[in-house]
Amino acid sequence: MKPRKAETHYTVLNVRSDCSTQDIRNAFVELSKQYHPDVKTNAACSERTARFVQISEAYRTLIKPQSRRDYDDSLIWLPNGSERSPVVEHSDPSQPWNVRPNYDPSPGPYYGIRGLKRVSNWQVALVLIAFGIVGAFFGFTSVKHSFDLHRQVQDEVSADATIHHAAVVAEAQKYGNEEQMRRMADRLARNPYNQSAK
């Protein structure tokens, strides 16, 4: 005797794994009419109650898109090979059972800008590398220019200091020590503080 294959929520409700939410609702209504404990039949009451509990659990799981996705992920297999059930939540109350495909056959602009087509990853990488090279070049150029400008200013200051030093040395050599002492004495004599001290 073959071991019985474990039932999934889909087999409990007798629906396909890629069915719509409306199919799940319809299946639940039909099975409730057969297995609800209040329905009078000749079958054993405990078996009917157990089966109705299974049906209710399957319905509660599959009717909500998020719990259905989680349940599909918990299964060993996925519907349609590797695709997930095409059930989406809808906010439009006028069309609550509209099942949409997993892709948009006519998407809008990829980047949100009309006329700008989608580019591949390697093209984006090349553009970024080009921007990096240009940025590195401008950074190196600006640092070099700043360094050259700073060195030029320092050279000008150094040249001015050298000229002033040479003028001071030339004046000191032109007038000997005696002349320097006489000039200092004249300056001290003209100082009003020295005169008041006398």
Side-chain angles (χ1 to χ4, degrees), residues 9-10 18 23 29 37 53 66 98 105-106 112 142 165 168:
H9 289 333
Y10 295 105
D18 59 351
D23 293 337
V29 170
V53 168
Q66 183 59 49
N98 184 20
S106 58
S142 63
H165 182 263
V168 169

Side-chain angles (χ1 to χ4, degrees), residues 57-111:
E57 182 183 349
Y59 174 74
R60 279 194 307 271
T61 302
L62 299 180
I63 198 66
K64 296 176 184 172
Q66 183 59 49
S67 63
R68 182 175 179 181
R69 279 192 288 271
D70 294 341
Y71 177 73
D72 286 348
D73 290 339
S74 72
L75 295 176
I76 297 174
W77 53 272
L78 289 174
N80 297 332
S82 63
E83 294 180 357
R84 184 178 282 151
S85 302
V87 177
V88 293
E89 296 185 62
H90 299 282
S91 59
D92 185 7
S94 64
Q95 297 180 344
W97 313 120
N98 184 20
V99 178
R100 298 179 185 172
N102 288 337
Y103 67 94
D104 188 357
S106 58
Y110 186 75
Y111 298 106

Side-chain angles (χ1 to χ4, degrees), residues 89-158:
E89 296 185 62
H90 299 282
S91 59
D92 185 7
S94 64
Q95 297 180 344
W97 313 120
N98 184 20
V99 178
R100 298 179 185 172
N102 288 337
Y103 67 94
D104 188 357
S106 58
Y110 186 75
Y111 298 106
I113 302 171
R114 189 178 297 277
L116 187 62
K117 296 182 179 178
R118 181 178 180 181
V119 294
S120 63
N121 289 341
W122 67 267
Q123 289 173 320
V124 173
L126 284 179
V127 169
L128 292 176
I129 290 170
F131 273 121
I133 291 172
V134 169
F137 174 75
F138 278 118
F140 174 77
T141 305
S142 63
V143 168
K144 184 177 183 305
H145 177 68
S146 174
F147 179 75
D148 291 344
L149 183 63
H150 185 65
R151 188 170 58 185
Q152 182 181 356
V153 169
Q154 283 185 334
D155 289 347
E156 289 175 2
V157 170
S158 178

Side-chain angles (χ1 to χ4, degrees), residues 4 12 22 35 58 67 69 72 78 89 95 107 158 166 171 174 178 184 188:
R4 188 177 175 184
V12 167
Q22 182 63 44
Y35 291 98
S67 63
R69 279 192 288 271
D72 286 348
L78 289 174
E89 296 185 62
Q95 297 180 344
S158 178
E171 186 178 347
K174 182 177 178 184
E178 295 84 11
M184 188 180 293
L188 290 173

